[in-house]
Amino acid sequence: MSDIKKIMAVFGTRPEAIKMCPLIRELRARPDLCVKVCLTGQHREMAASVMRCFDERADYDLDIMRESQTLSYVTCGILEGFGGVLAREMPDMVLVHGDTTTAFAASLAAFYMGIPVSHVEAGLRSHNMRAPYPEEYNRRAVALASSLHFAPTARAAENLMNEGVSHADIFITGNTVIDALRYTLKDDYQSPYLPASPSERLIFLTAHRRESIGEPLENMLRAVRELTEAYEDVRVIYPLHPNPKVTEIAQRTLGGCERVTLCPPLDVVDCHNIMARSYLILTDSGGIQEEAAALGKPVLIMRSVTERPEGILSGIARLAGTDRYQISATVRELLDNKDTYKKMSGSPNPYGDGNACIKITDALERYFCR
Ligand code: UD1
Ligand code: UDP
């Protein structure tokens, strides 16, 4: 490679930041690459917290977040703002992650300017446009704008090939979140959020997806309430997303429950270490399904469908749906049946070996040598 190539990484939400920061570190370590970072500001405090944990700084921050922002507002703000950043920097490659509105709008802005896009965590599909919403649309649209596709698993690569993406443009790398765990997990971790007694079982709970908000979220949390009332040795920690709609439902449904801790968003180091010390994980999140698999923690997914079937096939994950009774029954089975628990927690991790960032960076360097 003769000259230094400029890569512009763009992201805006907490999960993108967690999965892009280790990659940015790897890119910065290569002398033939120059890395610029643009935060869209789709999230504010939650993305800032991740940047602090990874000791990363952005070159640009579009700072678009507003309370109860709409998808159209986020899309327009990023198209306009990131378009301006691109016009100024004219990078050789734009790097986007996953399926957020940030990834969609940023890839579209790059596409409009004729700048190649690489998609990290490419090829996930639920094959249902309404779930997750609007992420299934976003990830498909990003694929259309992308030149390189970094698929975390063989199944994700297959999804892309089924949509006509050339085999030569797809790289199976594993998920960068497994790399992130290398930075965050600590043997000597301590926290007041961890149960004081080893006989207590901690359920790590997150729930805040856009399509869950309203009745599905209320149902999920009612199930949790009933479970803590029924099992005296079970404690629940529920870090709340700052979306006011989520906080309101959570406080109303779980506020005052004796063994439920509602807390502000955890920084990523606390989050990963508390998950690693929990008994099981109950979530509607995407990334937490991958982390749970890497940590050997059974994960019950409060959704009707997942774009991450690998965890279910490996045995570490189960779909618990959004129905209160189904969720309750699925959790009870794991709490009551030691054999089921042992089998699930011993399942292999299908999401990579922690070297995704190296593989992605190598592929980018090879692309520039073409
Ligand atoms: C977004 C992504 C979703 C991802 C999730 C991770 C889209 C369409 N959705 O959804 O794929 O799983 O992030 O959390 O891209 N807020 C704050 N501070 C923050 C972040 C959010 O106050 O640091 C509040 C704001 O009121 C904001 C609201 O949360 O308006 C919703 O944020 P938004 O990014 O629109 O949606 P998420 O549900 O977070
Ligand atoms: N997470 C965190 N603090 C919390 C809750 C979650 O750092 O209080 C991390 C979690 O470890 C995972 C990511 O946020 O890496 C998941 O984010 P979210 O569920 O919001 O988004 P998704 O993965 O569904 O896109």
Side-chain angles (χ1 to χ4, degrees):
M1 214 182 318
S2 53
D3 53 343
I4 292 181
K5 298 295 181 186
K6 189 192 281 184
I7 296 184
M8 169 72 70
V10 53
F11 50 97
T13 66
R14 172 177 63 191
E16 293 169 280
I18 292 170
K19 290 168 165 180
M20 287 291 259
C21 281
L23 177 55
I24 289 165
R25 276 200 188 180
E26 184 60 35
L27 294 166
R28 288 198 200 285
R30 308 284 174 111
D32 49 357
L33 301 176
C34 156
V35 187
K36 297 278 177 179
V37 174
C38 177
L39 285 181
T40 61
Q42 179 176 341
H43 285 176
R44 190 169 293 136
E45 315 84 42
M46 293 208 294
S49 153
V50 180
M51 297 296 273
R52 274 195 302 278
C53 285
F54 282 92
D55 201 17
E56 267 302 336
R57 266 222 292 273
D59 300 283
Y60 295 92
D61 188 347
L62 306 179
D63 195 22
I64 61 159
M65 198 195 85
R66 281 192 195 160
E67 190 171 313
S68 301
Q69 58 203 7
T70 63
L71 296 172
S72 303
Y73 163 78
V74 175
T75 304
C76 294
I78 294 170
L79 257 184
E80 191 63 27
F82 189 55
V85 170
L86 288 178
R88 181 171 164 173
E89 290 285 347
M90 288 309 289
D92 297 289
M93 176 68 76
V94 166
L95 214 52
V96 302
H97 181 280
D99 55 18
T100 63
T101 297
T102 284
F104 162 60
S107 63
L108 185 58
F111 178 72
Y112 282 165
M113 297 195 60
I115 298 171
V117 174
S118 285
H119 188 195
V120 181
E121 198 178 87
L124 277 64
R125 296 289 182 271
S126 68
H127 306 288
N128 179 344
M129 275 294 182
R130 306 303 305 178
Y133 172 86
E135 287 82 0
E136 179 74 1
Y137 171 85
N138 287 343
R139 49 172 84 113
R140 291 199 205 189
V142 175
L144 290 175
S146 296
S147 301
L148 299 182
H149 309 256
F150 298 115
T153 64
R155 181 176 287 263
E158 208 178 297
N159 288 335
L160 290 165
M161 285 187 282
N162 288 341
E163 290 170 15
V165 178
S166 161
H167 180 257
D169 299 330
I170 303 172
F171 302 84
I172 301 172
T173 61
N175 198 301
T176 59
V177 80
I178 311 299
D179 304 35
L181 288 166
R182 287 185 169 180
Y183 295 101
T184 53
L185 290 178
K186 299 188 189 318
D187 288 339
D188 57 352
Y189 177 80
Q190 294 198 341
S191 162
Y193 288 132
L194 291 173
S197 156
S199 64
E200 285 179 323
R201 295 185 286 181
L202 183 67
I203 296 183
F204 182 85
L205 166 69
T206 75
H208 53 253
R209 300 210 70 75
R210 206 169 264 265
E211 72 270 18
S212 301
I213 294 172
E215 208 180 316
L217 184 58
E218 292 197 20
N219 284 335
M220 293 171 193
L221 302 187
R222 279 207 202 102
V224 170
R225 186 184 181 114
E226 285 155 14
L227 284 162
T228 54
E229 284 164 0
Y231 290 81
E232 286 196 356
D233 68 328
V234 166
R235 288 191 173 272
V236 173
I237 177 164
Y238 181 12
L240 294 179
H241 188 291
N243 185 338
K245 293 179 191 148
V246 175
T247 316
E248 188 278 316
I249 297 173
Q251 296 287 3
R252 179 158 45 77
T253 318
L254 289 175
C257 282
E258 203 185 330
R259 283 184 289 279
V260 177
T261 305
L262 302 178
C263 64
L266 297 167
D267 79 35
V268 61
V269 171
D270 286 315
C271 185
H272 286 175
N273 282 283
I274 292 174
M275 281 169 67
R277 287 156 182 81
S278 65
Y279 189 73
L280 66 86
I281 294 171
L282 194 52
T283 191
D284 67 356
S285 161
I288 288 179
Q289 295 174 47
E290 294 144 357
E291 291 160 352
L295 297 169
K297 298 293 169 185
V299 56
L300 304 178
I301 307 160
M302 296 188 290
R303 297 198 205 172
S304 51
V305 64
T306 177
E307 61 289 298
R308 291 161 169 91
E310 295 89 343
I312 292 175
L313 294 169
S314 102
I316 192 75
R318 281 189 184 176
L319 273 181
T322 56
D323 173 77
R324 176 174 161 191
Y325 301 103
Q326 195 192 340
I327 292 170
S328 180
T330 317
V331 176
R332 278 170 185 269
E333 196 198 341
L334 265 185
L335 291 174
D336 293 340
N337 188 329
K338 288 219 157 46
D339 288 340
T340 308
Y341 183 86
K342 208 170 152 197
K343 209 165 156 208
M344 277 186 87
S345 52
S347 306
N349 165 26
Y351 297 115
D353 58 6
N355 290 312
C357 298
I358 293 177
K359 290 176 193 163
I360 292 170
T361 309
D362 287 350
L364 283 166
E365 286 187 325
R366 283 198 301 274
Y367 171 86
F368 289 128
C369 288
R370 275 184 197 173

